[in-house]
Amino acid sequence: MTLAEPTRSCATELVCRDCGRRLPLLDTTFKCLGCGQGLDIDYDYELARARLGELPTAERPLNIWRFEELLPIVDARAKARVGMNSGRTPLIHADRLGAELGLPKLYLKDDSTARPSLSYKDRVVSMAIARLLELGKGEIGCVSTGNVGTAVASLASKAGVTAYVFYPSNLERGKARACRALGAAVIQLDGNYDEANRACRELALVSGMQFANITLRPFYAEGAKTVAYEVVEQLGWRSPDHFVIPAAGGTLSSRVHKGLAELEKVGLAETAETKISVAQPEGCGPIAGAILDGSGEIEPQAPHTAAHSLAIGAPGDGALVVDAVMLRGGSAATASDGEIFEAIDLLGATEGLLTEPAGGTTIAATMKLAAEGKLDPDDTVVAVISGNGYKTLDEHPDKPWPEMVTCEVESMGEMLAHFREHGVGAALT
């Protein structure tokens, strides 16, 4: 690989998370050649500290590349073609929702507004496609429960890359239709996510295609750290007391942990006291189960939940999440599908945000953690809203359609009186 003018990245090597074996950064291996475990990316943190001090934050881009010293893309040409409009989502003080939950310092990291595809996956997929471009490749695949697919389709289109999206059998049709509209080939597989993931691993080996969340995973995962960087900066370089993060494969929560640790290493913030708790649906909660039962052992589950974007029964980064949560003194909570949809409605009614079931899971778990005393009323709590509800309206339980009334003041007044007496969410009888 021939690199153009380098970026300010301080990435140095690929390193095995288990045995510590090191490989050159430009190596295309995604699993350790010795023990077969996953790879991480290491950095020269002293160099990163120096380079971060050279360029004031006011001169840095308001996108995912704002802290490129701590991101793994070393080729400026690749960085310039993807992710320039991703990241830097709002941090919202949820005062009305916080009042309901007894958490006056509750904030929402609102990745439901992420660009271009309205989920946190824009962050990780930006890294994967930038790495693909570094490798000089023109095709990318992914296996997805929903949001990875739309992010890959959208970002690949902008980068001039052909995208192939493999969905399990319980795909969210709205997201699949979006992928096709964005120019991707969509292949539905007869199996759940874990079965589809295994098949895509085999396909990657025989076809030579790079997969965003398989063969490019060491780079893909690094994009999730930007949530931690942004939140701490948005809080005035103060790390929150507690993150509550939805978990599927575990990439987001495990890399927020890494990102917090890196901010301390380079001297930007004190983050050691920040706790991380994870939110999962009851119908697919292997990470939460391992934390709550104290065993730390992930027991794979067959997913059965309406929160399809969290329906990964054998989470690839599950062990990393358990370690991060226990190290930081956090916890976990699960929510039933009914509780998830009630939380979606509560978030909408208090903060005007429409989230998908993954975000509803975060809010439902935050409610439980607060009720159990695991979130203190004085804590600064950041709940991550990872995806947009407008993409999953077909998944929301049907409510009675509004009754038609005549365009007359008397009948309209009767309807108004009904809602004033019983509440705007009350069904008509």
Side-chain angles (χ1 to χ4, degrees):
M1 186 194 321
T2 301
L3 297 181
E5 179 182 348
T7 65
R8 297 172 61 86
S9 173
C10 298
T12 57
E13 293 174 297
L14 293 162
V15 58
C16 177
R17 297 195 299 257
D18 191 49
C19 71
R21 182 169 181 166
R22 292 179 175 271
L23 293 168
L25 190 66
L26 300 184
D27 198 297
T28 57
T29 304
F30 68 98
K31 289 288 186 181
C32 178
L33 299 176
C35 67
Q37 296 301 307
L39 298 175
D40 204 347
I41 295 174
D42 203 3
Y43 297 82
D44 182 337
Y45 290 108
E46 286 303 315
L47 179 60
R49 179 191 287 261
R51 287 187 177 175
L52 284 162
E54 292 170 358
L55 187 63
T57 55
E59 298 178 22
R60 292 176 176 270
L62 294 174
N63 60 31
I64 199 169
W65 303 111
R66 187 166 174 80
F67 299 101
E68 64 177 313
E69 291 87 347
L70 298 172
L71 295 173
I73 304 305
V74 298
D75 188 333
R77 293 174 303 185
K79 192 193 87 169
R81 288 175 60 187
V82 65
M84 301 303 285
N85 296 310
S86 301
R88 199 60 179 181
T89 56
L91 183 69
I92 299 167
H93 182 206
D95 56 334
R96 296 193 68 231
L97 177 61
E100 293 277 344
L101 274 55
L103 299 172
K105 293 189 285 186
L106 175 64
Y107 290 81
L108 306 174
K109 182 57 172 168
D110 184 18
D111 267 19
S112 74
T113 63
R115 294 163 300 196
S117 72
L118 305 178
S119 88
Y120 117 83
K121 298 297 186 180
D122 290 328
R123 300 174 183 273
V124 290
V125 171
S126 291
M127 288 301 127
I129 293 182
R131 174 60 170 178
L132 184 87
L133 296 173
E134 279 191 335
L135 297 175
K137 305 291 185 180
E139 291 185 327
I140 191 166
C142 72
V143 55
S144 175
T145 57
N147 286 323
V148 172
T150 54
V152 165
S154 183
L155 289 160
S157 177
K158 178 63 175 174
V161 169
T162 302
Y164 301 85
V165 180
F166 295 85
Y167 275 116
S169 57
N170 63 339
L171 64 82
E172 294 168 315
R173 294 188 177 276
K175 292 177 181 177
R177 285 194 293 267
C179 290
R180 295 179 67 181
L182 291 164
V186 176
I187 301 98
Q188 185 176 5
L189 302 177
D190 183 15
N192 63 29
Y193 177 87
D194 299 302
E195 293 166 332
N197 187 58
R198 286 192 293 271
C200 286
R201 285 175 179 271
E202 295 176 11
L203 180 63
L205 293 175
V206 300
S207 69
M209 183 186 295
Q210 296 288 332
F211 274 71
N213 46 353
I214 300 175
T215 61
L216 298 170
R217 192 170 188 85
F219 295 81
Y220 166 97
E222 291 293 276
K225 300 186 307 184
T226 57
V227 170
Y229 303 157
E230 290 178 18
V231 166
V232 172
E233 183 183 12
Q234 288 167 320
L235 288 174
W237 298 110
R238 293 179 297 104
S239 193
D241 297 298
H242 218 123
F243 273 98
V244 182
I245 303 174
T251 300
L252 179 55
S253 41
S254 63
R255 271 40 176 221
V256 165
H257 166 61
K258 182 181 180 183
L260 290 171
E262 288 178 335
L263 289 174
E264 184 132 356
K265 286 180 181 179
V266 299
L268 287 178
E270 295 180 1
T271 63
E273 300 302 314
T274 299
K275 297 179 180 179
I276 294 175
S277 289
V278 296
Q280 291 201 290
E282 285 182 1
C284 189
I287 298 174
I291 293 166
L292 292 171
D293 69 16
S295 70
E297 298 296 323
I298 303 287
E299 295 290 339
Q301 298 180 0
H304 184 71
T305 175
H308 297 302
S309 61
L310 301 182
I312 298 179
D317 287 334
L320 294 181
V321 178
V322 172
D323 289 346
V325 169
M326 291 185 169
L327 179 66
R328 290 186 171 274
S331 187
T334 61
S336 67
D337 285 355
E339 290 169 331
I340 289 168
F341 286 112
E342 288 176 4
I344 290 173
D345 290 345
L346 177 62
L347 177 63
T350 54
E351 297 298 331
L353 298 181
L354 182 61
T355 188
E356 64 175 11
T361 304
T362 300
I363 298 305
T366 301
M367 295 169 67
K368 288 190 175 182
L369 291 166
E372 293 166 1
K374 295 176 180 177
L375 300 175
D376 191 273
D378 291 330
D379 283 349
T380 297
V381 177
V382 174
V384 178
I385 305 301
S386 56
N388 196 296
Y390 289 104
K391 299 166 73 174
T392 56
L393 288 175
D394 289 346
E395 308 299 319
H396 203 288
D398 287 337
K399 292 188 176 182
W401 195 250
E403 180 180 324
M404 187 172 297
V405 298
T406 59
C407 293
E408 297 176 350
V409 171
E410 182 178 357
S411 57
M412 294 164 64
E414 291 175 357
M415 188 69 68
L416 179 61
H418 170 83
F419 285 122
R420 282 176 169 172
E421 180 179 355
H422 300 287
V424 294
L428 298 173
T429 56

